[in-house]
Amino acid sequence: MQIEIVEHEPPYRVGVIVGSLSRESVNRQLAEALQRLAPKELEFFEISYADLPLYNRDLDADYPQVARDFKEAVGSADAVLFVTPEYNRSIPGPLKNAIDWGSRPYGDSAWEDKPTGVIGGSPGKIGTAVGQQTLRSTLSYLNARQMTSPEAYIQITPGLIDDDGRVTDPETEKFLRTFMAKFLEYVARVLTVIPQG
């Protein structure tokens, strides 16, 4: 059996999905900080899902345009970075709804083989650890390709990220810069082995 290696050269387009719909979310601040700290080989755009209705299988036969647009945005990304809070020891309902829309209709999932990264921030010390495990379980079922290390559970204290999206703590900045460098390496490996359609 011969494996064909396909070189997919950077820059890589990374779709960012922020798990909170709030414009003031600390995870939106974290997402902006990550883009500042990322290697130049990564280009970012936000994938919005705020207008998606609640998923209903009855709509599979006449898939709504807003859901088509969402899936098209996911499909156009070389990789997806989830930056999410934890709600009640799980992921936010609107984020799960978006993931469900992206997986339907059955057999036409936008998540299949998509390189993904997961990170999240919270004022609490566990920094979204339980919510991330819930998200990872869902992505695993959908056969998304997940960067599993390093894990990143960020406690966001007041002033950690300034109004310009800069991380003010040197150790945290170093860690997040490393996280994004590892994400670049991971995306490059996945795209070499599993070219995206």
Side-chain angles (χ1 to χ4, degrees), residues 82 99 102-103 109-116 135-147 186 190 194 196:
F82 291 89
I99 293 170
S103 72
S109 174
W111 311 113
E112 180 83 19
D113 288 328
K114 185 68 66 177
T116 60
L135 176 55
R136 289 181 182 281
S137 177
T138 300
L139 293 175
S140 177
Y141 174 76
L142 295 172
N143 206 31
R145 304 300 169 176
Q146 298 179 61
M147 181 177 81
Y186 181 75
V190 173
I194 309 175
Q196 305 297 294

Side-chain angles (χ1 to χ4, degrees), residues 40-59:
K40 64 180 182 351
E41 292 89 349
L42 298 177
E43 296 179 349
F44 299 89
F45 68 101
E46 184 172 355
I47 299 176
S48 175
Y49 59 93
D51 295 330
L52 287 171
L54 291 176
Y55 175 72
N56 180 340
R57 186 171 64 92
D58 294 348
L59 300 176

Side-chain angles (χ1 to χ4, degrees), residues 17-93:
I17 297 182
V18 179
S20 171
L21 296 179
S22 169
R23 300 306 302 178
E24 304 300 320
S25 168
V26 295
N27 281 278
R28 183 166 299 285
Q29 294 174 336
L30 178 58
E32 292 168 3
L34 291 169
Q35 293 173 50
R36 280 182 158 277
L37 297 172
K40 64 180 182 351
E41 292 89 349
L42 298 177
E43 296 179 349
F44 299 89
F45 68 101
E46 184 172 355
I47 299 176
S48 175
Y49 59 93
D51 295 330
L52 287 171
L54 291 176
Y55 175 72
N56 180 340
R57 186 171 64 92
D58 294 348
L59 300 176
D60 280 5
D62 187 19
Y63 214 67
Q65 186 61 49
V66 65
R68 292 176 190 271
D69 293 344
F70 174 76
K71 287 185 69 173
E72 184 177 314
V74 173
S76 74
D78 293 314
V80 175
L81 180 64
F82 291 89
V83 187
T84 185
E86 178 179 303
Y87 286 3
N88 299 319
R89 296 295 186 261
S90 185
I91 59 174

Side-chain angles (χ1 to χ4, degrees), residues 158-174:
L160 178 67
I161 302 171
D162 69 19
D163 292 341
D164 294 322
R166 292 184 177 87
V167 179
T168 60
D169 176 67
E171 285 300 311
T172 303
E173 178 184 357
K174 180 181 177 183

